[in-house]
Every structure is written in structure tokens, then in C-alpha cells.
Amino acid sequence: MRFSVGCEIGYEVAEQATLIFNIEAMRGGRQRVLHEDLTISPGLAADEKTAEETGNRYLRLTAPRGQVQIRYSAEIELDPIHQQPEAVGEVPVAKLPLDTLPFLNPSRYCPSDQLARFANREFGAIQPGFTRVTEICNWIHDEVDYLFGTSDTTTTAADTFSLRAGVCRDFAHLGITFCRALGIPARFVSCYAWQLEPQDFHAVFEAYLGDRWYLFDATRMAALDGMVRIGCGRDAADTAFATIYGQVMPLPIRVWSEALDGSTADQWTTDAVSLSRS
């Protein structure tokens, strides 16, 4: 499946500011970048770095006073793995790959220790594996309202659990938190999401099951096998699309994700879907 994705981001800079972006599609795994373009106006020098441990791609630039515009576009080929849910089980902590262990721990937005008692009472008796994580997503979808303006950059999964309202990043944080409380490694994923309306940067999560990371989206707003992954980390603090040091005023953002050549994805698939290398 091939997709055209990208974004246009702009800022009015009051004084010189440093801007760090994580907007470029990840390379590797079941995701291949066929072509991409990055334009910065005015023509500013930029530093680029790919994090070895995550594959996140960072762009840093220093913008003078005035307006700055960044446009990124890419053509992406996805080759997702589909597995039958009953074939995807959980891995005992004693047998987990060592690089998944940090994703068992509480983090800034995912205080799994605070919600462990509820998670075990609500989901502890469910069949371990893909089925259990799916039930976690079902609970979030049914019990938490998707409402703009109900959360901000300080909102944790514990807050969302209490408020019973949030947006995609809050849904992802809550799913991650419940998984970690049950001994399932889980991580935050930012992405371009086909079929998402209105188009914006989207947040989902991955849980480590069987022998790889599998995608989950408790919002059910986009196709799992049409997710173009941008970044992953412990939570949203590791994957912000823009981090600003200085005084700026954001301009309207445009984000897009479009299928190419009749590519199709199933928004309501019940398969276990993975785009990771392992």
C-alpha cells in the first residue's frame, strides 16, 4: 500500500527561537520511504539526526524574527503484517527482549503504578494477549469521550481516567498505562493517519506481544494498516511534532494522508496489525 503524506507548519517568531521538529516519516520496519521533500522558508540551515534507539528523525533550526514555514511531503510504502488475534499472545516479563523493558515502567504521562489496581481488577481475568489489549481499547472507546479542549500538555493518563474525556494522545496514554500495569510493554506512536477526519497528526500506541510490536488505536478513527509512523517513545514527551525554545505564535497547520494507486486499508480490521521490524 502506498500513501502520500505530509504537513505544512508555520510560526510567527517574535525573537530568535530554536525549533525542533519530529515530522518526517520513520524509515525501516514495514515502512519504506520512497521519496520525500523538505522545504524551509526562508532558507535556513538545519541540523538533522535519527535516533538509533527509536528511529525518530529530528530536525533542528534557529529562526530569526519574522515568519518561518516548514513543508514536508513524502511517498510511503507500507507492508503491514496481519496476524489472527488468537495467535498473538503475551510474553512473560522474564522472557521479554531487554530493549522492551523500559516500556514497562511508569513515565511522565503514563503513571501505570497509579492505575494498577483498577487495571488488574478490570482486565486481569481476560485472556492474555491481543484479546486483552483489544478489550482495553474497547473500554477506553466506550468509557472516555473524545472531546477537543478537555486536555492540555500537562494531562496524564490518570487525569484522563478521572475526567473520562480527552483526545487521541490521551486515549493512547491511557491504553499504554493499562498495558504497563498488566506487565505488557507499551509505547506511544505519532503518525500520519489515513481516513482520519479532520486530518491532523494522530496518536496511537503499540503493545509488545508475541515477537513484535502491534498497533492499537482506542479512538477507532483511522485504519491501523494505513498508519505512517513518525515517532515512538515512552509517551508524548518523546514524540512531540514540534518543540519550541523562544517566543513564537503558531500559524494554521495543514496535515494530509492520501492513498495512492487504489491502495486500500481496512478501518475496522480485527486482525493484529504490525508495522515494526520486530
Side-chain angles (χ1 to χ4, degrees):
M1 299 182 290
R2 292 168 56 234
F3 297 90
S4 171
V5 301
C7 63
E8 293 177 349
I9 303 172
Y11 296 93
E12 194 69 47
V13 181
E15 298 292 343
Q16 181 173 286
T18 298
L19 297 79
I20 302 172
F21 297 100
N22 180 203
I23 57 174
E24 297 169 287
M26 298 175 73
R27 297 179 179 273
R30 314 293 295 187
Q31 176 170 302
R32 188 156 68 103
V33 180
L34 302 177
H35 175 77
E36 62 184 352
D37 289 301
L38 177 70
T39 305
I40 303 171
S41 301
L44 303 173
D47 301 319
E48 296 190 62
K49 170 70 176 179
T50 299
E52 293 183 7
E53 65 277 12
T54 60
N56 296 357
R57 301 169 64 192
Y58 297 103
L59 175 75
R60 181 181 64 186
L61 59 91
T62 298
R65 183 175 182 178
Q67 194 172 107
V68 61
Q69 296 275 355
I70 298 92
R71 186 182 193 278
Y72 172 74
S73 62
E75 184 177 327
I76 308 294
E77 183 176 65
L78 300 181
D79 181 25
I81 289 176
H82 287 253
Q83 297 279 16
Q84 291 300 309
E86 59 271 16
V88 181
E90 290 177 23
V91 182
V93 173
K95 295 184 178 180
L96 284 169
L98 292 177
D99 60 1
T100 68
L101 299 185
F103 300 103
L104 286 172
N105 301 328
S107 60
R108 176 179 175 182
Y109 292 114
C110 301
S112 50
D113 51 340
Q114 296 180 26
L115 296 181
R117 187 173 63 177
F118 174 84
N120 280 278
R121 186 174 68 245
E122 187 74 21
F123 310 112
I126 298 172
Q127 178 183 344
F130 188 87
T131 298
R132 175 147 56 180
V133 183
T134 298
E135 286 302 315
I136 288 172
C137 291
N138 290 343
W139 186 94
I140 296 170
H141 180 269
D142 293 343
E143 298 294 331
V144 181
D145 295 328
Y146 193 97
L147 291 175
F148 290 104
T150 55
S151 63
D152 57 29
T153 57
T154 68
T155 302
T156 70
D159 297 325
T160 302
F161 179 75
S162 177
L163 292 168
R164 299 296 170 94
V167 293
C168 60
R169 65 175 256 155
D170 305 306
F171 279 51
H173 283 154
L174 193 52
I176 291 166
T177 299
F178 287 152
C179 284
R180 291 178 185 172
L182 295 165
I184 305 168
R187 65 188 185 186
F188 188 93
V189 177
S190 60
C191 57
Y192 295 103
W194 185 50
Q195 297 180 335
L196 182 68
E197 293 295 340
Q199 275 290 309
D200 202 345
F201 293 110
H202 194 45
V204 296
F205 73 96
E206 289 178 318
Y208 191 88
L209 301 166
D211 62 350
R212 64 183 61 249
W213 294 95
Y214 286 91
L215 283 164
F216 294 89
D217 182 6
T219 73
R220 297 179 182 162
M221 295 174 68
L224 286 176
D225 49 6
M227 303 281 184
V228 173
R229 298 159 76 244
I230 301 171
C232 66
R234 294 165 299 174
D235 54 35
D238 292 339
T239 59
F241 76 86
T243 304
I244 309 298
Y245 295 89
Q247 296 183 6
V248 305
M249 179 67 70
L251 301 173
I253 295 177
R254 187 168 82 92
V255 178
W256 64 88
S257 179
E258 301 166 355
L260 299 174
D261 296 340
S263 294
T264 60
D266 185 358
Q267 184 169 354
W268 311 113
T269 182
T270 58
D271 292 350
V273 176
S274 175
L275 285 166
S276 68
R277 181 181 294 107
S278 61

